[in-house]
C-alpha cells in the first residue's frame, strides 16, 4: 500500500510539473514580449525624464569632496538654474596621478564647463591649453584674474603671452572647498558658456 501511495504522489507531482512546463511553453513568447516592452518603457522613461534633463552647468573640482550639496546650491543660484535643470558637480583628487587622466578625459569629452583648483593646478591646465582665455568670453577683466601666463597650443608650442592673456579668476571662499588660493576658470571647450561665465561673476561678487 505504501508503495502504491508513493507512486500516486509521484504521478501527481509529475502531472503538476508537466502542467507548469506546458504553461511556460504556451505563454513563454508572451511573457518574453511583455518583459521586452517593460524594459523598453523603462529605458524611454529614463531617457526622457532623467537623461534628457538639461544640464545648466557642470563643475569640476580638483579635490575630492564628500558633500557637494552646499556648492551645488550656490552654483544653481549663480547660474539662475530652474529646478528641472541639472547641476553637475564632479570632484576628484587631482594629486593622485591616475586621476589626472580621468579629469582630462572629462574635459575632452566636453562634460566640464567650469574648473576649480589650486593655482598650481590651474596653471598646469592653462599651459596645456585646457582653460579658455577669458578675453574670448563675456567675463569682465580685473586684476584678480590669473594673467600673464604663456598660452600653448596642443603640441606644447607657445602661441602668445602677456598680461592681457587671462585664464582664471582668483576666488574667495567656496562651500566645501579648502584650497589655499582657489582659482576658478572655464574649460577651453566649455558647452554651457553663459551659465559658466555667471559662476565666475558670482564668485567674484561674493568675495569683493
Amino acid at each position: 500500500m505504501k508503495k502504491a501511495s508513493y507512486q500516486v504522489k509521484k504521478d501527481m507531482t509529475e502531472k503538476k510539473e508537466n502542467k507548469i512546463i506546458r504553461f511556460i511553453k504556451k505563454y513563454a513568447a508572451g511573457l518574453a514580449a511583455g518583459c521586452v516592452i517593460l524594459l523598453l518603457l523603462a529605458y524611454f522613461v529614463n531617457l526622457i525624464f532623467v537623461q534628457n534633463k538639461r544640464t545648466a552647468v557642470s563643475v569640476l573640482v580638483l579635490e575630492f569632496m564628500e558633500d557637494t550639496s552646499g556648492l551645488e546650491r550656490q552654483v544653481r543660484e549663480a547660474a539662475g538654474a530652474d529646478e528641472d535643470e541639472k547641476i553637475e558637480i564632479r570632484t576628484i583628487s587631482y594629486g593622485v596621478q591616475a586621476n589626472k587622466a580621468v579629469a582630462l578625459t572629462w574635459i575632452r569629452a566636453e562634460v566640464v564647463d567650469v574648473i576649480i583648483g589650486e593655482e598650481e593646478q590651474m596653471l598646469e591646465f592653462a599651459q596645456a591649453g585646457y582653460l579658455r582665455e577669458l578675453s574670448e568670453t563675456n567675463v569682465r577683466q580685473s586684476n584678480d584674474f590669473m594673467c600673464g601666463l604663456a598660452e600653448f597650443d596642443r603640441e606644447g608650442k607657445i602661441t602668445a603671452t602677456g598680461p592681457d592673456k587671462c585664464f582664471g579668476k582668483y576666488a574667495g571662499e567656496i562651500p566645501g572647498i579648502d584650497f589655499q588660493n582657489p582659482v576658478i576658470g572655464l574649460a577651453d571647450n566649455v558647452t554651457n558658456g553663459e551659465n559658466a561665465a555667471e559662476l565666475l561673476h558670482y564668485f567674484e561678487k561674493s568675495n569683493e
Side-chain angles (χ1 to χ4, degrees):
M1 289 293 293
K2 287 184 178 179
K3 187 175 181 180
S5 175
Y6 171 77
Q7 186 62 43
V8 169
K9 287 182 179 178
K10 184 179 178 183
D11 291 342
M12 289 177 66
T13 302
E14 288 177 351
K15 285 180 180 179
K16 287 181 181 179
E17 289 176 350
N18 289 335
K19 284 182 180 179
I20 293 170
I21 292 170
R22 284 197 298 270
F23 176 84
I24 291 173
K25 286 181 177 179
K26 184 177 180 180
Y27 296 102
L31 289 171
C35 289
V36 170
I37 291 170
L38 287 174
L39 287 172
L40 287 173
L41 182 62
Y43 170 77
F44 284 113
V45 167
N46 179 62
L47 184 66
I48 295 169
F49 296 104
V50 179
Q51 294 185 22
N52 201 37
K53 191 175 182 181
R54 180 183 176 275
T55 298
V57 67
S58 57
V59 178
L60 170 61
V61 181
L62 301 178
E63 186 57 72
F64 177 72
M65 298 171 60
E66 289 188 3
D67 183 8
T68 62
S69 57
L71 177 58
E72 183 176 337
R73 281 194 296 273
Q74 285 209 358
V75 169
R76 183 174 294 279
E77 179 183 339
D82 297 329
E83 286 303 318
D84 62 345
E85 292 181 297
K86 184 166 56 174
I87 301 295
E88 291 184 345
I89 308 290
R90 291 179 170 85
T91 72
I92 195 166
S93 296
Y94 193 69
V96 178
Q97 188 64 33
N99 289 344
K100 293 187 177 185
V102 175
L104 295 180
T105 298
W106 285 338
I107 295 170
R108 292 179 185 128
E110 299 184 16
V111 295
V112 172
D113 297 312
V114 176
I115 304 170
I116 303 173
E118 290 274 16
E119 183 177 12
E120 186 176 332
Q121 295 169 335
M122 298 296 278
L123 173 62
E124 181 181 333
F125 273 63
Q127 290 179 333
Y130 289 108
L131 293 183
R132 175 68 57 92
E133 204 279 298
L134 296 178
S135 66
E136 301 173 7
T137 72
N138 62 352
V139 178
R140 67 176 182 270
Q141 302 289 305
S142 79
N143 293 329
D144 287 334
F145 284 103
M146 188 168 64
C147 303
L149 303 174
E151 184 178 355
F152 293 75
D153 62 19
R154 296 295 181 183
E155 296 177 353
K157 297 176 182 178
I158 296 177
T159 57
T161 187
D164 58 325
K165 296 290 181 180
C166 303
F167 296 88
K169 166 69 180 172
Y170 289 105
E173 185 178 349
I174 301 176
I177 296 177
D178 296 325
F179 291 140
Q180 193 70 28
N181 294 303
V183 173
I184 182 169
L186 305 179
D188 183 57
N189 55 3
V190 55
T191 300
N192 302 293
E194 195 171 317
N195 288 340
E198 288 299 323
L199 258 64
L200 269 68
H201 285 317
Y202 177 88
F203 285 109
E204 179 182 20
K205 290 176 183 177
S206 64
N207 292 292
E208 284 179 346

